[in-house]
Amino acid sequence: MPLFNVYPLYDVTPVKAKGVYVYDENKTKYLDLYGGHAVISIGHGHPKYVEAITNQVVELGFYSNAIQNPLQVELADKLEVLSGCKNYELFLCNSGAEANENALKLASFKTRKSRIIAFKNGFHGRTSAAVAATDNKNIIAPINAQQKVTTLDLNDIENVKTELEKGDVCAVILEFIQGVGGLDQATSDFFEQVDLLCKQNNTLLIADEVQSGYGRSGKFFAFQHYNVTPDIISIAKGMGNGFPIGGILIHPNIKAKFGMLGTTFGGNHLACAAGLSVLNVIEEQRLMENVKEISSYFIKIAKTIPMIKNIKGKGLMLGLEFDFEVGDLRKQLIYDYQIFTGGAMNKNLLRILPPLTVKKDHINQFFDALIDLLDKKQEHNK
């Protein structure tokens, strides 16, 4: 049976990974500065991660949410401490799309309203309401388009105010650093005014931290760079270092009812073991401090390269913008220099999303390759 052909694939077949490196079937070593869409947070095959999953699967890999699961409580408590999100409650699921789906559903339950405000170049997932709130018509099927979504420009606070005052908006969903869209950010004033307007108009603010969470921005969550208090925070990618897990943090102004949300696999024993190991490593290895140090080092070097027109993002959620499309550059980095990087909806942007364990030597390796490539490009264009 052939695979359903929906992914354009690079001709690389990883079979092993360790730290910030992956190895293909020919034992070729690749520097991973993309982390599989920002999923690999504490490095491939981290020994504490492997140990946690191994020990847990020997004891109990899965049972349903109909029984007590102390690992969920332990994960929630650890997350509260490290994130600083005091008094929020945790609902666990399996992915970022599912997290945002539950966030939007919860907002509609709470407000009894159904329209969503989202923003241009935003990406929130590929399921029903989450994909409708995503600014990409190519992945929105007619069944998704039935959702009531208004897509606005970042920083257009007057239109946000106008739409919220119509009284039918259940949620404003936004990324404080856009991921797939290309690392765009609004101003501090915009974010803070949106938060205030939501509170004035019985609308919930959803912080989509699926990609930017878990220390990637230099703070545990990207919204913490601003003076805002989201009603719901969605999390996934770096949460399990590759094991499928997602969730939402829910403000205490939203009260739970039996049956309101549910999941078969969400919060299973193996997922919780993976999630706990990630939080423990982030804390023990002081990875958020490493994010800040390496980010500053990366940006300092990037600023010396004239062909880089713009440096976008925060922490280790970074983008390098050029005045040409970077598709060929990414291919050359993979095939000629054995370095994985990412692309975006902005075709001129190279995305950098390495494991939070990345070191200066790895950054040097990347820039040596990039400068060599850009020099060759300039020579070719003469």
Side-chain angles (χ1 to χ4, degrees):
M1 179 187 296
L3 298 175
F4 198 51
N5 190 17
V6 293
Y7 299 116
L9 301 176
Y10 290 107
D11 188 18
V12 179
T13 307
V15 295
K16 184 181 176 181
K18 190 70 177 174
V20 297
Y21 293 103
V22 296
Y23 302 81
D24 70 13
E25 76 276 30
N26 300 314
K27 299 184 179 179
T28 303
K29 180 181 179 181
Y30 297 82
L31 175 63
D32 184 9
L33 296 186
Y34 192 56
H37 310 301
V39 166
I40 303 301
S41 50
I42 62 170
H44 295 279
H46 193 288
K48 292 202 171 181
Y49 172 78
V50 172
E51 180 185 21
I53 293 177
T54 303
N55 290 345
Q56 185 58 48
V57 78
V58 168
E59 297 298 328
L60 176 63
F62 171 83
Y63 205 77
S64 81
N65 283 305
I67 47 80
Q68 300 288 328
N69 184 347
L71 287 172
Q72 292 186 358
V73 177
E74 189 180 349
L75 178 59
D77 289 346
K78 189 74 175 181
L79 183 54
E80 181 177 39
V81 170
L82 291 195
S83 71
C85 292
K86 302 297 183 186
N87 301 318
Y88 281 73
E89 295 178 342
L90 176 65
F91 174 79
L92 291 165
C93 53
N94 307 285
S95 70
E98 192 179 339
N100 283 328
E101 202 70 46
N102 280 291
L104 292 164
K105 182 177 182 180
L106 202 54
S108 188
F109 268 136
K110 168 69 175 173
T111 64
R112 310 312 300 176
K113 298 187 284 189
S114 59
R115 187 158 66 102
I116 302 162
I117 288 179
F119 294 93
K120 289 184 180 175
N121 291 328
F123 187 95
H124 303 291
R126 292 177 178 268
T127 55
S128 179
V131 78
T134 292
D135 186 24
N136 184 346
K137 290 181 171 59
N138 294 326
I139 63 173
I140 300 174
I143 195 170
N144 310 127
Q146 296 177 90
Q147 305 279 354
K148 292 185 284 186
V149 179
T150 302
T151 304
L152 302 176
D153 288 311
L154 282 175
N155 292 320
D156 185 356
I157 196 64
E158 288 305 316
N159 262 336
V160 173
K161 184 174 187 291
T162 298
E163 294 301 325
L164 284 175
E165 288 177 349
K166 291 178 181 178
D168 64 338
V169 177
C170 69
V172 173
I173 185 168
L174 55 78
E175 300 160 278
F176 285 80
I177 307 171
Q178 291 188 333
V180 174
L183 287 301
D184 288 329
Q185 300 169 77
T187 64
S188 299
D189 184 63
F190 176 78
F191 286 136
E192 290 162 14
Q193 286 297 312
V194 168
D195 184 34
L196 181 63
L197 286 167
C198 284
K199 289 170 173 54
Q200 291 172 348
N201 288 278
N202 185 30
T203 299
L204 300 196
L205 177 62
I206 300 171
D208 181 341
E209 295 277 359
V210 167
Q211 190 171 120
S212 55
Y214 270 61
R216 184 157 290 280
S217 75
K219 291 185 180 287
F220 196 90
F221 288 127
F223 79 80
Q224 292 168 330
H225 292 276
Y226 310 97
N227 183 26
V228 299
T229 305
D231 297 285
I232 306 173
I233 304 157
S234 55
I235 52 178
K237 293 193 184 297
M239 192 176 179
N241 201 49
F243 197 98
I245 182 172
I248 49 176
L249 278 63
I250 303 158
H251 193 275
N253 66 13
I254 305 168
K255 303 304 178 188
K257 295 180 182 177
F258 288 156
M260 183 183 257
L261 303 177
T263 171
T264 297
F265 296 105
N268 67 71
H269 296 75
L270 268 180
C272 287
L276 276 164
S277 72
V278 168
L279 289 173
N280 288 332
V281 170
I282 287 174
E283 181 180 37
E284 291 163 11
Q285 293 189 206
R286 304 167 71 92
L287 291 186
M288 287 170 60
E289 291 183 17
N290 189 61
V291 169
K292 293 171 187 174
E293 180 183 350
I294 300 301
S295 180
S296 296
Y297 185 72
F298 183 100
I299 291 168
K300 183 178 179 181
I301 298 174
K303 284 180 175 177
T304 68
I305 302 172
M307 288 182 74
I308 296 173
K309 302 306 176 186
N310 197 9
I311 305 163
K312 302 175 77 173
K314 282 183 168 68
L316 290 178
M317 188 173 177
L318 294 167
L320 301 178
E321 192 169 31
F322 298 86
D323 59 6
F324 55 86
E325 293 192 4
V326 300
D328 287 341
L329 195 70
R330 287 183 64 206
K331 288 179 183 176
Q332 289 173 295
L333 283 168
I334 292 173
Y335 296 132
D336 299 340
Y337 298 87
Q338 291 74 53
I339 300 174
F340 290 161
T341 59
M345 287 171 63
N346 176 352
K347 300 300 183 187
N348 290 5
L349 191 85
L350 193 70
R351 268 201 299 166
I352 306 296
L353 302 164
L356 307 186
T357 53
V358 69
K359 300 299 181 190
K360 289 180 181 178
D361 286 350
H362 306 129
I363 301 305
N364 291 339
Q365 181 183 341
F366 165 70
F367 277 115
D368 286 347
L370 181 65
I371 290 167
D372 191 41
L373 259 178
L374 294 175
D375 286 346
K376 288 176 181 176
K377 183 177 178 65
Q378 279 189 314
E379 283 296 318
H380 182 265
N381 291 337
K382 282 183 180 178

